[in-house]
């Protein structure tokens, strides 16, 4: 039970971090400060997106595995994080001093792809019961 609560709590906190970073205004905000701290270039920002989304996928998968088989949790995770990553990037069009960037969207998807490379369930594991 504690593991399930830890998984969902961690996922919720990380989800809030992702939403705040993705939907905050671009000037005089935590987003600008974070970007500047890591170099302030398009490439360092893209690397940040990749890391954010890889960790988000990992945490969501961890939480979902308490309710679904490994395979079901994996596919639900991939779909949810890709959809939300795309929606959040498009939503930036409506945020002051932010915009939709193909590089950032690609980095979101690459983060999910990295997650899939490390966590894709094999047939034997995917048939196991939820945790």
């Amino acid at each position: 039970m504690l593991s399930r609560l830890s998984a969902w709590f961690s996922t919720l906190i990380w989800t809030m971090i992702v939403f705040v970073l993705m939907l905050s205004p671009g000037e005089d905000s935590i987003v600008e400060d974070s970007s500047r701290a890591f170099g302030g270039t398009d490439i360092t920002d893209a690397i940040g997106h990749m890391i954010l989304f890889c960790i988000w996928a990992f945490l969501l998968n961890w939480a979902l595995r308490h309710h679904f088989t490994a395979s079901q949790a994996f596919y639900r995770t991939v779909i949810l994080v890709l959809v939300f990553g795309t929606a959040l990037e498009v939503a930036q069009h409506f945020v002051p001093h932010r915009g939709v960037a193909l590089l950032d969207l690609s980095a979101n998807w690459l983060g999910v792809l990295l997650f899939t490379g490390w966590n894709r369930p094999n047939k034997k594991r995917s048939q196991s019961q939820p945790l």
Side-chain angles (χ1 to χ4, degrees), residues 57-58 60-62 64-65 68-84 112-113 115-117 119-127:
F58 174 80
L60 182 59
N61 187 64
W62 176 36
L64 290 176
R65 286 188 56 157
F68 301 102
T69 66
S71 181
Q72 291 169 333
F74 173 83
Y75 291 112
R76 282 174 168 82
T77 296
V78 170
I79 291 167
L80 286 170
V81 177
L82 285 175
V83 167
F84 276 104
V112 177
L113 184 63
F115 159 78
T116 64
N119 292 285
R120 186 175 189 124
N122 61 35
K123 285 191 179 253
K124 188 179 242 183
R125 278 188 6 207
S126 68
Q127 294 174 0

Side-chain angles (χ1 to χ4, degrees), residues 49-123:
H49 278 254
M50 185 180 62
I51 292 167
L52 276 174
F53 280 81
C54 186
I55 292 171
W56 194 15
F58 174 80
L59 290 172
L60 182 59
N61 187 64
W62 176 36
L64 290 176
R65 286 188 56 157
H66 291 282
H67 306 280
F68 301 102
T69 66
S71 181
Q72 291 169 333
F74 173 83
Y75 291 112
R76 282 174 168 82
T77 296
V78 170
I79 291 167
L80 286 170
V81 177
L82 285 175
V83 167
F84 276 104
T86 302
L88 286 169
E89 191 62 37
V90 170
Q92 287 183 358
H93 174 74
F94 304 101
V95 178
H97 308 289
R98 298 294 291 268
V100 179
L102 187 57
L103 179 61
D104 290 347
L105 179 61
S106 300
N108 297 350
W109 292 351
L110 184 57
V112 177
L113 184 63
L114 286 173
F115 159 78
T116 64
W118 288 322
N119 292 285
R120 186 175 189 124
N122 61 35
K123 285 191 179 253

